[in-house]
Amino acid sequence: GAVVSQHPSWVICKSGTSVKIECRSLDFQATTMFWYRQFPKQSLMLMATSNEGSKATYEQGVEKDKFLINHASLTLSTLTVTSAHPEDSSFYICSAPDQGLDTQYFGPGTRLTVL
Amino acid sequence: EDQVTQSPEALRLQEGESSSLNCSYTVSGLRGLFWYRQDPGKGPEFLFTLYSAGEEKEKERLKATLTKKESFLHITAPKPEDSATYLCAVQAQGNTPLVFGKGTRLSVIA
């Protein structure tokens, strides 16, 4: 099946710093990718929709100036957590729809810990 | 508003003890219902997509079924390696994000 990768798989940073997370579709092109956040023992919550060539669409309550999304190409979307704080610590997961296989594939996730 | 409710929240089975997980949904025009498996600290792994009532799909010990209001994931003779959280999600239109339920945490004891 299709593969979606994320980098890094985990990151620890100090409060106030910025962290960039990459999401790549490895064997298919994705004009749209989705970013989710998952807290312990909870389900995935959609943060934003990343669109290649246009601005991202953010869900209600998600600060667009804090979570910067750039869909640089048909295989790469990045999420930058700016001025991270401990409450931003979470598991961030991206997904990309493979229209050829008509399903959505998820990346392995990035564990962010802000000290 | 699209909504997905999964039950039970947690399920503990003995190895070989078959059971079913439930996913009830409300959506404004279902395009697809998805089942994923998620292991701790990992992203969801795709299992099945169901599109219309009456459809069934199987993969090893798992079988997913769909009605107009709910989906079931049947697990036959489970093994300890089937222990995971099983997530159900719906999609209303193509290329839109999935709406997830809270998942069922399955533990299979040897």
Side-chain angles (χ1 to χ4, degrees), chain B:
Chain B
E1 182 180 341
D2 301 338
Q3 204 163 15
V4 177
T5 303
Q6 290 187 247
S7 61
E9 185 176 319
L11 182 61
R12 187 182 175 96
L13 299 174
Q14 292 292 321
E15 184 174 4
E17 179 186 0
S18 301
S19 187
S20 295
L21 313 183
N22 177 264
C23 171
S24 298
Y25 66 91
T26 54
V27 63
S28 54
L30 178 71
R31 182 179 183 276
L33 183 141
F34 298 78
W35 282 98
Y36 289 85
R37 167 191 171 130
Q38 186 177 27
D39 293 299
K42 297 186 178 181
E45 174 190 344
F46 172 73
L47 294 175
F48 305 108
T49 308
L50 302 169
Y51 296 100
S52 58
E55 188 175 0
E56 299 182 353
K57 289 191 176 176
E58 289 187 65
K59 179 181 179 180
E60 296 180 351
R61 295 177 292 281
L62 300 176
K63 178 180 176 180
T65 62
L66 181 66
T67 72
K68 289 187 178 179
K69 294 183 178 181
E70 57 190 354
S71 176
F72 291 94
L73 184 65
H74 307 277
I75 302 177
T76 302
K79 298 182 178 182
E81 53 262 41
D82 295 322
S83 298
T85 294
Y86 290 85
L87 298 170
C88 173
V90 296
Q91 185 182 42
Q93 298 176 25
N95 225 27
T96 55
L98 305 183
V99 176
F100 280 89
K102 293 185 177 181
T104 294
R105 293 192 308 278
L106 174 66
S107 299
V108 182
I109 311 302

Side-chain angles (χ1 to χ4, degrees), chain A residues 4-19:
Chain A
V4 174
S5 71
Q6 280 184 243
H7 178 80
S9 56
W10 60 270
V11 57
I12 302 173
C13 69
K14 293 182 178 180
S15 185
T17 61
S18 295
V19 174

Side-chain angles (χ1 to χ4, degrees), chain A residues 23-76:
Chain A
C23 176
R24 293 180 185 274
S25 56
L26 297 185
D27 51 3
F28 65 100
Q29 294 183 335
T31 56
T32 301
M33 292 184 179
F34 303 103
W35 287 95
Y36 295 83
R37 181 165 51 183
Q38 186 176 36
F39 292 104
K41 295 189 177 180
Q42 294 189 22
S43 193
L44 285 75
M45 296 299 296
L46 179 68
M47 297 176 65
T49 301
S50 172
N51 303 299
E52 193 270 337
S54 63
K55 292 183 179 180
T57 305
Y58 291 82
E59 295 300 298
Q60 192 171 10
V62 178
E63 299 175 58
K64 62 180 181 181
D65 294 330
K66 181 171 184 61
F67 298 98
L68 301 179
I69 291 174
N70 180 30
H71 202 129
S73 73
L74 289 173
T75 59
L76 173 64

